[in-house]
């Protein structure tokens, strides 16, 4: 499974390093050198994985499941696991323009170099991102194409009209043959095995069955290592792709779609006798230690340490797919949670952690565990967030855990506005419990609370819909206090979407009905103050329903929607465009009649019209609830008959108790295959020692001179500040804090360095609450910083003197400047060294060179750049000749280095790529000293180039830039 040579006629891919420049947005996303990243020797591994999260890095790198599986696989002998993410549009465009396949971030090898490539599929419409990544990697999209070695051979002939249609989509310019040439790998079966996992893949893999060699069902902690062992043995035995997949199909939890066919009624059955009729969902026990891992340089969606405290939920909410697909409930031992957080916060340097579960409050040891951790970390300005908690279990103990100086937000999910509806969905929440939880939060200092509600639930009437508004009014009346700001709410109103393997999988609501109910609420909300409301677009809900409950026919729809530009980002950037792409794909697949069923409410439990057809003659009679479903061959442990019985209980507004704490509900999960509920009883709650009080005492100021070299230049200023904060925490340095509502560490860089610029002369002030020896401080901090952030010097300066930021006056830079001439033409030649010197002298001779600038307030003003230039010189001597064009002279190299430091820029010598006449230089090295004050009086490198252009009367191009030194005013 390796990379073959490029076929003649295609452009040769360029090095990945050439793509990762400051020209792309947040290039640090793709560096693969974060703290916690694993770099195993390539040749030491027998099986090489890529775990791929089909979202941008900020989403994928903070996903807990992604981190856990990455750590587990890299802990296996003879196994190597790398990572890949959906590139942002700018990098994707570069990959296509340069014919460079998508790469894994640690090794920077193309995805086709690996044995196995796994995608996380956690959202119905997310499969389009997977197709995008496969195409960028140069991998055929379907298992049939990968086996045959020819793209599209299962449904189109090469060169046919449909093939050309595929290759001229919104994903590439018209007229190209292949954006990433599939034919670079012409050997059939030479591609990596492509698989998917995640909640959506587990619940109903059929809409995506054409794209994957196999699908991993359920928890992956034990399943993925087993898959790795099968692949290792298969490679040793030289098995064919089909034989290897047949071996994998014997592993519980592995579904190989090509060994199964869809019947006319949508059901799925084996097409050979040696594979199981039903595929078991895997269940594993959480291991918190594997949560400690990646610490990204860029800010991610969940920028914190996350530790799972409970997997599974047995509340039995009838709309909730995760609650059905993760049974039984499994609590994690409190000691393991406390150890993982204590160790993880020291190892990562995060200032926030999160305890994760479908319902954190159902972890009965939560108050004790949370208070214990808060007490241990009370002096370190660390906050805790709980993403999911039951309002009926919210009390003062939990408020202590998540409260404090850096108070996080708080969210509750009543789901419905009336008691009747909460009983129908089996929410297990009374009005009294709802009020008690919200009131406790208000009394503990929260004046803004987020609430989740849902409309379109079975049995819902207009009175139930309007009950949401009435509930909000009631909570506002009851939660008021003298001298307190009125409580406000942020509401999210989502549309009920039926999910497979839930009691409500047989119910759907028409788009028209959703729109009517949204209009009802919007009118009612106008009369309520202190309210912010977000409604889910009904088109997204309808499409989720259509795909999520579909069968194998939807693979063609997904593929065509992707070809028309319906990536996940399209839903947020242009919802109309994305929706139109999906509906066009549905129409071209001749499934419009099926989508109309969803739009019109395919099955409505409370408005039965059995036997009545929609006017479209293709529409069948609505199926009975005993009809086969496309996901019936997936054994989740939940008995289908029990789901129907629970649906009947919903019609009667009958509730079912939580089987973790009361009697068994007979759902069918508990047993040998899936295990049983594991519930840790409540523990004694230690006395709460109080919230963090920032230590603002400044005993010592240490001034640090350091560099920013290599790929660290691709780190933004804010990312660098975050890196310093975490490094200081990991090094246990007694940093002082600012005051206010959001206290931060007193770490003050003298000046922000532009993205992509290297430096050998940065200055940062660190203020401490306890004195430290400078050498000890340097050793401890350097041990926690990347090698490309070297510390050169540390000095103690008086605390009562001005900071480096206040003292900063000047900066010294080294630049590479190029003449923008076409050297392949005879019309002009590169300038001589004498011409370069004349231009430099002309700049220095001027009294004024004016440039128009825009102030922060948006006003235009003229600035004399010459006033801000103190020194300017060429970095090479006049007597230099060009005979030795390869290495540059000793004097050149000396000009590019500082004492005992290697040059930060590899190409600061005159351009040596072309056989040009003696003493002529396409590029030149310049040194300049300019003003650099934090009041905005700066002379930037591009402004030096501007001055050069003004005196020369021609354009120049700024190349590599290095800041050599920051100069402070004497005290």
């Amino acid at each position: 499974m390796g990379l073959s040579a490029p076929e003649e006629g295609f452009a040769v891919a360029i090095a990945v390093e050439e793509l990762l420049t400051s020209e792309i947005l947040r290039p640090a996303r793709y560096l693969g050198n974060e703290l916690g990243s694993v770099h195993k020797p390539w040749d030491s591994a027998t099986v090489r994985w890529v775990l791929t999260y089909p979202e941008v890095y900020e989403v994928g790198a903070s996903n807990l499941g992604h981190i856990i599986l990455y750590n587990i696989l890299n802990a296996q002998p003879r196994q190597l696991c790398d990572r890949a993410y959906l590139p942002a549009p700018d990098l994707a465009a570069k990959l296509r323009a340069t014919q460079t396949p998508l790469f894994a971030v640690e090794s920077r090898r193309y995805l086709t170099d690996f044995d196995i490539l796994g995608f996380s599929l956690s959202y119905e419409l997310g499969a389009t991102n997977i197709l995008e990544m496969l195409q960028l990697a140069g991998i055929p999209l379907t298992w049939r194409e990968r086996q045959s070695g020819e793209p599209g051979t299962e449904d189109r002939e090469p060169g046919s009209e449909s093939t050309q249609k595929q290759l001229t989509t919104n994903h590439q310019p018209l007229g190209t043959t292949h954006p990433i040439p599939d034919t670079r790998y012409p050997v059939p079966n030479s591609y990596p095995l492509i698989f998917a996992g995640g909640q959506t893949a587990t619940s109903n893999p059929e809409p995506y069955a054409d794209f994957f060699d196999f699908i991993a069902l359920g928890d992956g902690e034990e399943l993925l290592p087993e898959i790795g062992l099968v692949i290792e043995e298969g490679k040793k035995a030289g098995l064919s792709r089909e034989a290897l997949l047949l071996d994998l199909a014997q592993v519980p939890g592995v579904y190989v779609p090509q060994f199964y066919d869809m019947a006319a009624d949508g059901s799925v059955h084996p097409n050979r006798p040696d594979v199981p009729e039903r595929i078991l969902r895997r269940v594993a026990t959480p291991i918190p230690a594997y949560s400690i891992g990646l610490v990204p340089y860029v800010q991610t969606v969940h920028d914190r340490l996350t530790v799972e405290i409970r997997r599974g939920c047995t509340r039995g909410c009838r709309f909730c797919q995760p609650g059905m697909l993760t049974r039984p409930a499994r609590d994690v031992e409190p000691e393991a949670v406390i150890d993982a957080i204590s160790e993880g916060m020291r190892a990562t340097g995060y200032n926030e952690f999160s305890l994760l579960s479908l319902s954190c409050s159902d972890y009965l040891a939560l108050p004790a565990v949370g208070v214990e951790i808060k007490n241990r970390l009370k002096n370190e300005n660390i906050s805790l967030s709980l993403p999911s908690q039951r309002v009926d279990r919210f009390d003062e103990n939990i408020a202590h855990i998540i409260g404090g100086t850096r108070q996080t937000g708080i969210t509750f999910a009543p789901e419905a506005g009336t008691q009747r509806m909460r009983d129908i969905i089996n929410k297990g929440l009374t009005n009294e419990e709802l009020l008690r939880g919200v009131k406790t939060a208000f009394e503990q200092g929260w004046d803004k609370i987020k609430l989740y509600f849902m409309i379109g639930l079975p049995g819902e009437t207009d009175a139930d819909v309007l009950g949401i508004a009435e509930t909000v009014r009631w909570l506002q009346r009851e939660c008021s206090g003298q001298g307190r700001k009125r409580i406000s709410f942020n509401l999210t109103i989502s549309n009920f979407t039926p999910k497979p393997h839930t009691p409500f999988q047989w119910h759907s609501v028409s788009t028209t009905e959703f729109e009517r109910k949204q209009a009802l609420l919007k009118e009612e909300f106008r009369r309520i103050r202190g309210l912010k409301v977000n409604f889910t677009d009904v088109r997204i809900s309808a499409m989720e329903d259509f795909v999520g409950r579909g069968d194998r026919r939807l693979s063609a729809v997904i593929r065509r929607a992707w070809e028309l530009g319906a990536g996940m980002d399209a839903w947020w950037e242009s919802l109309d465009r994305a929706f139109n792409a999906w509906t066009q794909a549905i129409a071209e697949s001749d499934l419009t009649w099926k989508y109309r069923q969803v739009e019109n409410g395919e099955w409505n439990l409370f408005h039965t019209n059995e036997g009545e057809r929609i006017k479209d003659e293709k529409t069948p009679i609505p199926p009975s609830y005993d009809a086969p479903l496309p996901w019936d061959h997936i054994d989740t442990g939940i008995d289908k008959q029990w789901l129907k019985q629970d649906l009947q209980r919903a019609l009667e507004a009958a509730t079912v108790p939580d089987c973790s704490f009361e009697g068994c509900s007979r759902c069918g999960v508990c047993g040998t295959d899936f295990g049983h509920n594991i519930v840790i009883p409540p523990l004694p709650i230690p006395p709460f020692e109080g919230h963090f009080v920032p230590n603002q005492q400044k005993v010592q100021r240490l001034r640090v001179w350091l560099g920013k070299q290599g790929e660290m230049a691709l780190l933004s200023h804010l990312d660098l500040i975050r890196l310093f904060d975490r490094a200081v925490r990991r090094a246990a340095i007694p940093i002082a804090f600012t005051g206010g509502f959001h206290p931060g560490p007193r770490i003050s860089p003298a000046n922000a360095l532009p993205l992509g610029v290297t430096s050998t002369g940065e200055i940062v002030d660190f203020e401490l609450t306890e004195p430290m020896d400078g050498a000890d401080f340097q050793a401890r901090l350097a041990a926690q910083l990347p090698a490309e952030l070297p510390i050169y010097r540390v000095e103690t300066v008086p605390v009562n003197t001005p900071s480096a930021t206040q003292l900063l006056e000047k900066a010294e830079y080294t630049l590479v400047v190029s003449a923008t001439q076409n050297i392949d033409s005879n019309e002009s030649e590169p300038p001589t060294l004498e011409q370069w010197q004349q231009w430099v002298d002309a700049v220095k001779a001027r009294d004024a060179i004016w440039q128009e600038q825009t102030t922060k307030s948006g006003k235009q003003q003229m600035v004399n750049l010459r006033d801000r230039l103190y020194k300017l010189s060429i970095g090479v001597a006049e007597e230099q000749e060009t005979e030795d064009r390869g290495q540059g002279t000793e004097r050149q190299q000396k000009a590019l280095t500082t004492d005992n430091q290697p040059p930060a820029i590899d190409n600061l010598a005159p351009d040596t790529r072309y056989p040009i006449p003696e003493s002529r230089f396409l590029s030149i090295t310049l040194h300049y000293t300019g003003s650099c004050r934090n009041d905005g009086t700066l002379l930037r490198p591009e402004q030096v180039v501007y001055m050069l252009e003004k005196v020369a009367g021609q354009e120049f191009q700024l190349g590599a830039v290095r800041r050599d030194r920051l100069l402070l005013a004497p005290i």
Side-chain angles (χ1 to χ4, degrees), residues 363-630:
Y363 184 68
L364 301 183
L366 175 64
V369 168
V371 171
E372 172 66 23
I373 296 169
K374 289 283 281 192
N375 288 344
R376 289 192 188 187
L377 305 176
K378 64 171 293 188
N379 296 323
E380 300 182 32
N381 191 26
I382 286 172
S383 61
L384 163 64
S385 64
L386 296 175
S388 171
Q389 53 190 306
R390 297 274 306 191
V391 63
D392 52 321
R393 290 192 186 274
F394 187 80
D395 58 17
E396 290 186 6
N397 292 312
I398 297 179
H400 288 158
I401 296 171
I402 62 177
T405 308
R406 295 173 61 243
Q407 191 178 74
T408 58
I410 190 166
T411 302
F412 299 125
E415 305 295 0
T418 64
Q419 188 64 57
R420 170 180 166 274
M421 280 309 304
R422 288 197 289 271
D423 289 343
I424 286 177
I425 65 177
N426 202 46
K427 181 65 181 176
L429 175 68
T430 65
N431 286 328
E432 292 76 14
E433 291 167 334
L434 172 61
L435 175 59
R436 184 172 64 245
V438 172
K439 201 166 189 177
T440 299
F442 179 70
E443 291 169 350
Q444 293 297 316
W446 280 271
D447 51 30
K448 180 177 290 185
I449 296 174
K450 188 170 185 177
L451 299 177
Y452 279 107
F453 290 96
M454 190 180 295
I455 58 175
L457 292 160
E460 183 181 69
T461 65
D462 285 356
D464 296 312
V465 174
L466 296 175
I468 296 174
E470 185 53 42
T471 296
V472 172
R473 287 196 191 93
W474 170 59
L475 292 173
Q476 284 185 333
R477 286 196 305 269
E478 296 295 326
C479 297
S480 60
Q482 189 171 3
R484 282 288 303 274
K485 180 181 177 182
R486 174 198 278 273
I487 193 170
S488 62
F489 294 102
N490 284 353
L491 304 187
T492 294
I493 311 295
S494 60
N495 308 315
F496 165 73
T497 305
K499 303 290 185 181
H501 307 287
T502 67
F504 288 171
Q505 67 184 352
W506 290 284
H507 175 81
S508 61
V509 180
S510 71
T511 298
T512 302
E513 186 68 1
F514 276 133
E515 290 172 340
R516 188 185 67 81
K517 290 181 176 182
Q518 286 186 354
L520 269 178
L521 275 177
K522 288 175 182 178
E523 180 62 30
E524 197 69 19
F525 285 151
R526 288 196 185 100
R527 304 182 180 94
I528 304 177
R529 297 175 61 189
L531 202 60
K532 182 179 178 181
V533 187
N534 176 58
F535 289 89
T536 303
D537 194 283
V538 297
R539 293 171 293 182
I540 295 177
S541 302
M543 207 58 70
E544 287 176 2
D545 184 4
F546 177 71
V547 176
R549 293 192 301 164
D551 54 36
R552 289 198 181 184
R553 290 173 294 179
L554 266 67
S555 290
V557 174
I558 293 169
R559 179 170 186 160
R560 185 59 184 141
W562 164 76
E563 291 173 355
L564 294 169
M568 270 308 302
D569 57 336
W571 284 106
W572 320 124
E573 293 178 1
S574 175
L575 196 147
D576 289 337
R577 180 169 69 88
F579 183 73
N580 291 338
W582 277 98
T583 52
Q584 181 180 336
I586 292 169
E588 290 182 14
S589 300
D590 200 25
L591 290 173
T592 300
W593 64 271
K594 177 67 175 173
Y595 179 66
R596 290 289 171 259
Q597 285 186 323
V598 173
E599 277 195 321
N600 294 326
E602 184 176 13
W603 302 335
N604 194 307
L605 304 176
F606 288 80
H607 301 86
T608 301
N609 56 356
E610 292 283 340
E612 181 180 335
R613 290 177 177 268
I614 301 173
K615 292 182 179 179
D616 188 332
E617 62 182 7
K618 294 183 180 179
T619 305
I621 296 174
S624 71
Y625 303 126
D626 292 322
L629 297 170

